[in-house]
Amino acid sequence: MTASAAGSDRRERLKAKREAALHRPVLARHLSDGFNGRWTRRQWVQASLFATLGMLVAAIVPGFGPPAQHPQPLHAPRHSMALALPPLPLSRLKGTQGDSWQVVHVRRGQTLGGVFEELGIPAATLHRLLEHPGVKQSLTRLKPGTELAFDLPADGQLRTFRYDRDESHRVELGLAGDKIVEKVIERPIETRTVVISGKVGRSLFHSARKLGLSPSNINTLTDEIFKYDIDFNEDVAASDRFSVVVEQAWREGELIRTGPVLAATFTTGGKLHTGFRFERNGKAEYFSGDGRPLKKSFIRMPIPYARLTSKFGSRRHPVLGNVRMHKGVDYAAATGTPIMAAGDARVEFVGWKGGYGRTVILDHGRGYTTLYGHMSNFGKIRRGQRIGQGTVIGYVGSSGLATGPHLHYEFRINGVHRNPLQVTMPPPEPLRGAALAQFRAQTAVALARIQEVEKIIFADAGQPADPGKAKPVRPKA
């Protein structure tokens, strides 16, 4: 082959390679420009760039890479094994006294039978216990909160039943075969005389309850001791203070009962009010420091919060139409509103009395009587019965000559009608003689304790104390 022929053949092969390169994507356009059999530096840079981009895409996008190798899930067979647990100790298996007590507090409406049923104790066992002397009488009426205890060992058979017969005696009934063995445990009660002091704060009730006074104690302060001297809706300020002496019953470190208020002081508007409990003729009353009863002989209004509709004096009768003397006052109120006795009295009359309709007349002694007319019904009173001030004697109505429900109230002194709104009420009988001497000796101790406690709690009188921080102080007996 000649040199010219060889060169021609070489040119043909190069041309074929060039044509093949021109048909490749992306690179075709770049390689078409004057390729002479050797790549230029620019072409090498472009090829390297595209190769690098391809490897990056393959690394980033999972679909371009080789499939990941995931471990195959293991499906190992499962087997159950019965493991031997450690045996119950002999004391637990046979049951040891005191290791299995279940204490139950009776809920409202719950019966003794219901308690036994919830614990899975047979009714026959309950009947056996109720047949034991004294059990049925103690557990016939269960109050909410009553504590009952059951000694139930692992075998579920009731071994001992426990209940409180009273505050100081606990009864345990042990079931041993066909026998019931009774054990009475005495629980001593400690009585402490305590002084509780504090400030009214935002609410007298809230502050007093926080310090430990019972709702009954608080009602005694507001409705009995200081009712006639302090208006608790208008006269009391947050800085006013009170002190109360009460007896508390403690058992095994737990307060179980608070007794009545023995003495109390209330300072409002810079004025000190005192009240002391003392029994006169077998009846407990509250007296001032000088022995005068705090309770007034009569209350002005036999109906609380009633509206005065007719005064004492001459008027035209609303039913008869003639002008006649109105010998009392009328208070309008809804039918059924309770009517209270204006003072301590003996019931002189209960029944129908002409135009007065259903009427009650009370004899308060020393020539004082009161009449209550137009009642819809009577209270639980009878003629000759002695009742205390505030006792409900009847209910507002419109019986007799009345145009609507109201109370007609009359006040008489030695049979003469007086205006109940203007008459000077007789003062209650003060203590005298031996009773006064005993009262002074009793109140001196209580007042000294109150003063001692107040000196401690209210030492810095310039700064109001937080009633929540005032703590009960228990003076030594």
Side-chain angles (χ1 to χ4, degrees):
M1 181 180 294
T2 63
S4 60
S8 177
D9 184 51
R10 183 171 177 268
R11 281 193 298 271
E12 289 296 332
R13 290 197 301 268
L14 289 175
K15 183 179 180 180
K17 291 181 179 180
R18 185 170 177 268
E19 290 294 332
L22 289 174
H23 285 85
R24 293 178 184 174
V26 181
L27 295 177
R29 180 172 54 84
H30 300 286
L31 296 177
S32 63
D33 298 334
F35 182 75
N36 56 1
R38 296 181 63 185
W39 283 13
T40 64
R41 179 179 295 177
R42 179 180 178 184
Q43 291 169 335
W44 279 111
V45 171
Q46 291 174 345
S48 299
L49 177 61
F50 283 110
T52 303
L53 290 174
M55 288 187 292
L56 289 175
V57 170
I60 296 174
V61 181
F64 288 93
Q69 299 295 325
H70 297 285
Q72 294 295 326
L74 297 178
H75 298 283
R78 297 183 180 180
H79 302 280
S80 297
M81 298 179 62
L83 299 177
L85 297 176
L88 285 173
L90 186 62
S91 61
R92 185 64 176 169
L93 187 60
K94 293 185 177 180
T96 301
Q97 187 72 15
D99 69 346
S100 52
W101 282 102
Q102 296 191 33
V103 179
V104 176
H105 291 89
V106 177
R107 302 187 300 272
R108 184 176 299 276
Q110 193 175 26
T111 63
L112 185 62
V115 175
F116 273 67
E117 184 178 357
E118 286 187 5
L119 294 175
I121 304 174
T125 303
L126 172 60
H127 295 318
R128 281 184 59 196
L129 292 170
L130 292 177
E131 290 174 357
H132 188 77
V135 176
K136 192 172 184 179
Q137 291 79 358
S138 300
L139 301 177
T140 299
R141 294 182 179 179
L142 294 177
K143 296 181 180 179
T146 299
E147 181 180 304
L148 305 175
F150 302 81
D151 185 14
L152 290 167
D155 60 5
Q157 298 295 322
L158 180 63
R159 182 169 50 199
T160 309
F161 173 60
R162 185 179 73 200
Y163 67 93
D164 292 335
R165 188 173 64 192
D166 50 45
E167 288 184 345
S168 57
H169 294 90
R170 171 167 286 175
V171 177
E172 289 188 359
L173 301 177
L175 282 72
D178 296 334
K179 295 182 179 180
I180 295 181
V181 180
E182 179 180 305
K183 180 182 179 182
V184 179
I185 303 172
E186 187 172 356
R187 308 174 72 191
I189 295 178
E190 177 188 0
T191 301
R192 306 174 187 174
T193 301
V194 303
V195 180
I196 298 177
S197 295
K199 292 200 173 185
V200 172
R202 289 176 295 179
S203 165
L204 172 62
F205 186 87
H206 175 76
S207 301
R209 288 290 290 142
K210 192 173 183 179
L211 291 171
L213 287 178
S214 67
S216 176
N217 295 148
I218 301 171
N219 290 338
T220 299
L221 293 181
T222 58
D223 298 343
E224 290 188 53
I225 301 178
F226 303 119
K227 172 182 178 180
Y228 301 95
D229 300 313
I230 301 175
D231 184 344
F232 284 92
N233 292 323
E234 301 292 340
D235 299 342
V236 177
S239 59
D240 293 341
R241 66 178 188 255
F242 60 90
S243 293
V244 182
V245 180
V246 293
E247 283 189 349
Q248 295 180 340
W250 291 78
R251 183 185 63 202
E252 300 173 358
E254 178 186 3
L255 176 63
I256 61 173
R257 186 181 65 257
T258 300
V261 175
L262 302 179
T265 63
F266 207 105
T267 304
T268 177
K271 183 178 180 180
L272 175 67
H273 301 272
T274 61
F276 302 90
R277 189 174 190 267
F278 186 75
E279 288 192 6
R280 177 169 61 173
N281 300 325
K283 181 182 179 182
E285 300 179 55
Y286 288 95
F287 297 82
S288 63
D290 57 359
R292 294 187 177 276
L294 293 176
K295 184 180 74 173
K296 305 305 184 206
S297 296
F298 293 90
I299 54 179
R300 290 285 184 186
M301 294 177 59
I303 306 178
Y305 314 113
R307 179 171 57 92
L308 181 68
T309 56
S310 184
K311 297 181 180 180
F312 183 88
S314 297
R315 66 162 191 178
R316 184 175 298 277
H317 196 279
V319 177
L320 301 179
N322 58 346
V323 177
R324 56 191 296 183
M325 182 67 178
H326 188 228
K327 299 180 180 180
V329 293
D330 292 344
Y331 293 104
T335 300
T337 302
I339 302 170
M340 301 179 296
D344 296 342
R346 179 182 61 84
V347 180
E348 181 179 298
F349 177 85
V350 181
W352 189 278
K353 192 174 180 64
Y356 290 110
R358 294 184 181 88
T359 304
V360 172
I361 299 177
L362 302 180
D363 182 359
H364 303 277
R366 294 183 294 174
Y368 293 90
T369 59
T370 53
L371 180 146
Y372 312 79
H374 304 306
M375 293 183 176
S376 62
N377 208 345
F378 300 113
K380 296 180 179 179
I381 58 174
R382 63 182 185 278
R383 184 176 180 180
Q385 178 184 356
R386 291 202 169 273
I387 59 175
Q389 184 183 81
T391 301
V392 176
I393 59 174
Y395 302 89
V396 171
S398 53
S399 58
L401 296 177
T403 56
H406 71 282
L407 167 68
H408 175 78
Y409 175 58
E410 294 182 3
F411 193 93
R412 305 174 185 176
I413 302 178
N414 296 322
V416 179
H417 291 84
R418 300 292 182 88
N419 186 349
L421 304 179
Q422 296 179 354
V423 67
T424 301
M425 298 297 181
E429 288 290 331
L431 295 172
R432 293 188 175 88
L436 180 59
Q438 183 182 359
F439 169 79
R440 286 176 174 171
Q442 177 179 313
T443 57
V445 177
L447 188 58
R449 288 185 172 181
I450 290 177
Q451 291 172 344
E452 177 186 354
V453 171
E454 289 194 346
K455 285 180 181 179
I456 297 173
I457 295 180
F458 306 111
D460 189 358
Q463 295 186 6
D466 181 356
K469 295 181 180 179
K471 298 181 179 180
V473 178
R474 300 179 177 88
K476 296 181 180 179

